[in-house]
Amino acid sequence: MTRHAPRKFSDGSAELVYAIDAAGKIRHISEVERGYACDCTCPACGAMLNARKGPDNVHHFGHRSFFSCANGPETALHKLAKEIISTERRLLVPEVKAIFGEQSSLIHQRKLVCFDEVVEEARHLSQLVPDIHAKLDEHHLFVEIYVTHACDELKRENLRANGVAAVEIDLSRLRRDSERSVVRDAVIEKADRQWLFHPRIDAAVDAMRIAHRAKVNAQRKQFDDEVSVRLRRYDAGLTELAIRKVASPDNTKEFFRIGLGNHIGCSLGGSGGFTVTEREWQYRVLRVFIPKDDVRRSFRHQAIFEWIKDKKLLRAGFHYVRPELEEAMRERNSQFLSPYRAIEAYLDELVGRGVLQKIKSYSLSEAVFTKLMDLRESIDRKHQRRTSLVERIEKLLERLPESELDDFSLNDWMWQVQEDGMSFGEAIEADDESFDAMLVPLRKIEAMMFRKGAAVAYSLGLPIGAEQARQMEARKREADDREAAKQAEAVRREEALQKAAADRGDALGLTAAKHGDEWVSWITIGQPELDGMTPLAVAILGQEGADRARRLLQSLIERRDEECARNAEIERWKSELEREVFGLLKDRTQPFLDSPYALGPSGKKVKPRDYCVSKETFEECLKLATSIAKKKR
């Protein structure tokens, strides 16, 4: 029977590979005799162990009883680590580095230290038993081995109270069945390690903390001084603005006519940061949103603030106020706002009042924008009406002789009350809809004078009496001339109609004659397609009738030609069939052609002579004759 090679003790499946021999030393499974001859005990519970080193098993130590000790591997690793340090008397210590906040100070780099003396489980210290107590000259070092439990805060405090530097070596991730050399390398220098306490680190951190506190106090004093200076400047600004004289606004401007004057001068705080009063800078801000054209534009808060700054409306020292500085100033003066925040508060106030709307940026509300556009349309409409009316009246006056103008004044006439109780000037200024109705008589006067329109009796207060008489006489002459021309035109049109009718009848007759006498007769016979009228009569009535008659004639001729062509084609197939059948049936040809047979998709009985009208029916009849000829043989 073939034996399997024994598995190594460090392949991951072994549990306890270290034990304590009779001399109290840690022994690896590979270093002892097989079975109980190993004379070893469990590092954790002290029970006698069996060195199981059979050919089929992973080499390990096993308890004599049927249960194993749960803490054996961890305790063995812990004891082995202490034994290694005690034996080697050297250890890599981590760098000594003090850290406070974002500051750091490197005291010395990590280094490998060789000790004069190493003591395990040093119990000569009160309330503290470190795993290792190492000495080098007058220097002491405590070493803690972390296998399953790291040092807690209480132990850290005890170490700090003792005043001796202490380092912790982390073996928690080291395999419990690692070989001795692997454990030695990890303990001496490769495993992670950290300072639990170092007096020089604590001293350096305390020094950093004291320096930081001094710096913070100096910065706080500097900050408080800056707050005081800014508030004094702010109060000085308020004093200046209190005596500032502001000119009265021009209420005829569109800004005030659409009611925006009610939304400037809002007391929201922050006035002392501006070089002008609240009413002035708020007017400037709101005026930004009034477009010069008919496009509503939006602006971000930052852009408006920069514009105000460029206009030099901000007091020195208030172009930018840090958030923490502004908060401190508000704690001392609740009315303080930086210009940046004051402008933002004003914009939001306008949103709340329905003057602006905010969607990421600010713009005029729909209601205010509509009111502005309506006002501009009204202003434009008034200007256009006034300009147009003046131009039209001046054009009328230019038509009149100088002697008929007397002392006429266009400006006085503009405000002269008309028959409807309102002057043209009043209608324009009121933007009244009645203005268009007032223009109707003027249009008729213009038509009379410039376009030979009907003479009118009213004058709208214009000096056109003599002109009206002249126009009435001219209209009478024009009417007489038009009547004479009308009669002459009527005679000419009648003659032209008669000639055109004759030409259309002749043209239709020529077309019919080209195709034979029967069609010449046809154009004189009533046709149902022409509502019973003759084609000739329809053609004489007008060009549309002539076209109808010609199209009908052409379609009938084409239909007759197609029918003749089809009949000729049928006769050709019938003759061809009779010739071919005669070659097959000879004297039985005529009986075959005149006898009924089941032909066609329906199978209905029909004579071949009647059925043969195309290539397809010809071939079907010929096939039938061929089959009959074969049967008769």
Side-chain angles (χ1 to χ4, degrees):
M1 176 176 168
T2 304
R3 284 184 172 272
H4 296 289
R7 287 177 287 177
K8 293 183 179 181
F9 48 80
S10 59
D11 66 352
S13 59
E15 295 181 354
L16 183 61
V17 297
Y18 290 100
I20 300 177
D21 65 6
K25 297 295 184 180
I26 298 293
R27 302 295 297 276
H28 189 263
I29 186 65
S30 64
E31 301 169 355
V32 300
E33 295 293 331
R34 178 180 178 185
Y36 291 107
C38 67
D39 195 17
C40 292
T41 58
C42 176
C45 66
M48 184 64 68
L49 296 178
N50 177 11
R52 296 173 178 168
K53 302 175 68 174
D56 298 321
N57 296 326
V58 175
H59 294 183
H60 67 285
F61 290 105
H63 286 70
R64 183 191 298 271
S65 57
F66 293 104
F67 65 90
S68 63
C69 179
N71 298 325
E74 286 74 18
T75 303
L77 183 58
H78 193 270
K79 288 181 177 293
L80 177 58
K82 291 190 290 184
E83 182 182 285
I84 290 172
I85 297 174
S86 179
T87 303
E88 297 281 336
R89 290 199 302 178
R90 60 191 180 94
L91 188 68
L92 180 70
V93 295
E95 66 179 8
V96 179
K97 187 176 185 179
I99 299 176
F100 178 77
E102 296 182 356
Q103 291 181 274
S104 64
S105 175
L106 181 62
I107 299 171
H108 66 67
Q109 298 283 357
R110 66 177 186 166
K111 60 182 178 179
L112 187 65
V113 179
C114 296
F115 301 104
D116 299 331
E117 182 183 352
V118 175
V119 179
E120 296 184 38
E121 301 288 346
R123 299 183 180 277
H124 61 284
L125 302 172
S126 59
Q127 298 182 347
L128 186 64
V129 183
D131 290 333
I132 295 292
H133 180 190
K135 298 179 183 179
L136 174 61
D137 297 331
E138 297 300 322
H139 300 287
H140 296 260
L141 176 67
F142 292 158
V143 181
E144 292 292 336
I145 308 300
Y146 168 23
V147 176
T148 56
H149 300 291
C151 287
D152 56 20
E153 192 59 36
L154 177 60
K155 191 162 187 177
R156 287 172 180 264
E157 288 300 320
N158 289 335
L159 291 168
R160 183 173 283 106
N162 191 273
V164 177
V167 68
E168 181 181 67
I169 301 174
D170 183 3
L171 301 180
S172 61
R173 289 172 288 182
L174 188 65
R175 291 159 59 102
R176 303 304 188 251
D177 59 351
S178 297
E179 296 183 15
R180 184 185 292 272
S181 61
V182 174
V183 177
R184 181 177 62 252
D185 291 344
V187 171
I188 298 302
E189 57 180 320
K190 291 186 176 180
D192 291 339
R193 56 207 64 210
Q194 64 173 342
W195 290 108
L196 299 173
F197 165 73
H198 198 292
R200 294 185 65 183
I201 292 178
D202 279 18
V205 170
D206 288 341
M208 290 179 180
R209 184 180 292 108
I210 293 170
H212 175 72
R213 187 178 297 114
K215 181 179 179 181
V216 168
N217 290 336
Q219 290 176 340
R220 183 177 292 112
K221 183 180 183 307
Q222 182 182 2
F223 180 77
D224 290 342
D225 292 343
E226 185 178 3
V227 170
S228 299
V229 170
R230 292 290 185 97
L231 284 176
R232 285 196 295 272
R233 291 180 181 174
Y234 182 79
D235 291 339
L238 292 176
T239 301
E240 292 179 11
L241 293 177
I243 60 175
R244 177 180 171 82
K245 294 183 179 180
V246 181
S248 299
D250 183 0
N251 293 327
T252 62
K253 291 184 176 181
E254 62 180 13
F255 181 93
F256 296 96
R257 291 176 67 180
I258 61 175
L260 295 184
N262 299 326
H263 304 290
I264 57 177
C266 304
S267 297
L268 302 171
S271 300
F274 294 86
T275 59
V276 294
T277 63
E278 286 177 329
R279 186 174 181 83
E280 289 175 284
W281 70 258
Q282 289 177 9
Y283 170 78
R284 297 284 191 93
V285 168
L286 189 49
R287 188 69 184 80
V288 169
F289 292 94
I290 306 300
K292 294 182 179 180
D293 49 24
D294 58 355
V295 178
R296 179 170 46 172
R297 293 174 175 82
S298 60
F299 301 88
R300 291 187 179 274
H301 166 216
Q302 181 68 36
I304 295 177
F305 173 76
E306 294 296 334
W307 182 81
I308 289 291
K309 186 166 63 174
D310 292 343
K311 294 297 180 181
K312 303 186 184 308
L313 302 182
L314 302 184
R315 194 171 297 278
F318 292 91
H319 288 194
Y320 172 70
V321 181
R322 303 190 309 277
E324 65 275 12
L325 185 62
E326 181 169 4
E327 183 179 357
M329 295 174 72
R330 283 186 61 81
E331 289 178 357
R332 296 193 194 180
N333 183 348
S334 60
Q335 293 301 309
F336 175 79
L337 277 179
S338 67
Y340 183 86
R341 294 302 174 195
I343 292 173
E344 182 180 40
Y346 178 56
L347 293 174
D348 291 338
E349 174 70 15
L350 294 177
V351 172
R353 295 187 180 196
V355 177
L356 300 181
Q357 64 183 25
K358 183 180 181 183
I359 304 174
K360 293 185 178 180
S361 55
Y362 299 88
S363 61
L364 280 181
S365 67
E366 185 68 32
V368 174
F369 184 73
T370 300
K371 187 182 295 185
L372 174 64
M373 293 297 104
D374 290 346
L375 174 62
R376 289 181 175 178
E377 288 178 4
S378 175
I379 293 173
D380 291 344
R381 190 162 48 248
K382 291 179 183 179
H383 176 73
Q384 291 172 2
R385 284 176 172 177
R386 185 180 296 106
T387 302
S388 174
L389 182 61
V390 169
E391 291 177 350
R392 292 166 75 173
I393 297 302
E394 287 178 344
K395 186 176 180 181
L396 286 175
L397 297 177
E398 290 174 358
R399 184 73 176 265
L400 303 177
E402 191 72 26
S403 59
E404 296 179 5
L405 297 179
D406 297 330
D407 296 329
F408 179 81
S409 169
L410 179 55
N411 185 60
D412 292 343
W413 174 85
M414 186 75 73
W415 297 98
Q416 180 180 329
V417 177
Q418 300 297 326
E419 290 184 0
D420 58 358
M422 181 180 292
S423 68
F424 279 97
E426 289 171 333
I428 291 172
E429 288 304 315
D431 198 17
D432 198 292
E433 294 180 354
S434 63
F435 178 80
D436 291 334
M438 294 176 67
L439 289 178
V440 173
L442 179 60
R443 292 194 189 97
K444 292 183 178 180
I445 292 174
E446 291 174 322
M448 174 189 72
M449 295 180 64
F450 302 112
R451 297 186 295 278
K452 297 182 179 181
V456 295
Y458 44 78
S459 65
L460 297 180
L462 296 170
I464 59 173
E467 180 66 17
Q468 286 174 311
R470 289 192 292 273
Q471 292 293 336
M472 291 179 67
E473 180 62 26
R475 296 296 92 75
K476 183 177 182 303
R477 288 196 302 271
E478 291 167 0
D480 293 343
D481 292 344
R482 283 195 300 274
E483 181 61 27
K486 182 179 179 181
Q487 293 177 359
E489 177 64 16
V491 172
R492 187 191 66 76
R493 290 182 62 185
E494 181 63 26
E495 292 175 349
L497 288 173
Q498 291 177 359
K499 183 178 184 304
D503 291 345
R504 288 192 297 272
D506 294 344
L508 183 64
L510 289 173
T511 301
K514 289 179 182 179
H515 297 280
D517 293 341
E518 59 177 307
W519 296 108
V520 174
S521 300
W522 176 84
I523 64 174
T524 61
I525 301 172
Q527 302 296 328
E529 295 89 339
L530 301 176
D531 300 327
M533 296 181 64
T534 67
L536 185 59
V538 170
I540 291 173
L541 286 177
Q543 186 59 46
E544 182 179 354
D547 293 340
R548 286 181 62 196
R550 186 175 62 257
R551 286 195 298 271
L552 179 60
L553 173 62
Q554 190 65 36
S555 65
L556 292 176
I557 292 173
E558 290 174 354
R559 192 184 307 164
R560 186 199 64 177
D561 292 345
E562 290 174 358
E563 186 176 349
C564 291
R566 175 165 176 75
N567 290 336
E569 178 72 7
I570 291 173
E571 289 301 320
R572 185 176 71 80
W573 285 115
K574 289 181 183 295
S575 299
E576 182 68 16
L577 177 65
E578 185 172 356
R579 185 179 64 77
E580 291 292 334
V581 171
F582 181 79
L584 293 171
L585 301 180
K586 303 301 182 184
D587 57 347
R588 297 194 302 273
T589 297
Q590 295 304 321
F592 167 77
L593 293 175
D594 294 328
S595 299
Y597 295 95
L599 294 170
S602 64
K604 183 179 179 181
K605 289 190 175 183
V606 62
K607 296 177 182 179
R609 187 187 302 280
D610 297 333
Y611 183 70
C612 181
V613 295
S614 64
K615 179 180 179 181
E616 290 76 12
T617 55
F618 164 79
E619 291 176 347
E620 187 177 354
C621 292
L622 185 59
K623 183 178 179 181
L624 175 62
T626 303
S627 64
I628 292 174
K630 289 180 179 180
K631 290 179 182 180
K632 296 296 184 177
R633 292 174 182 171

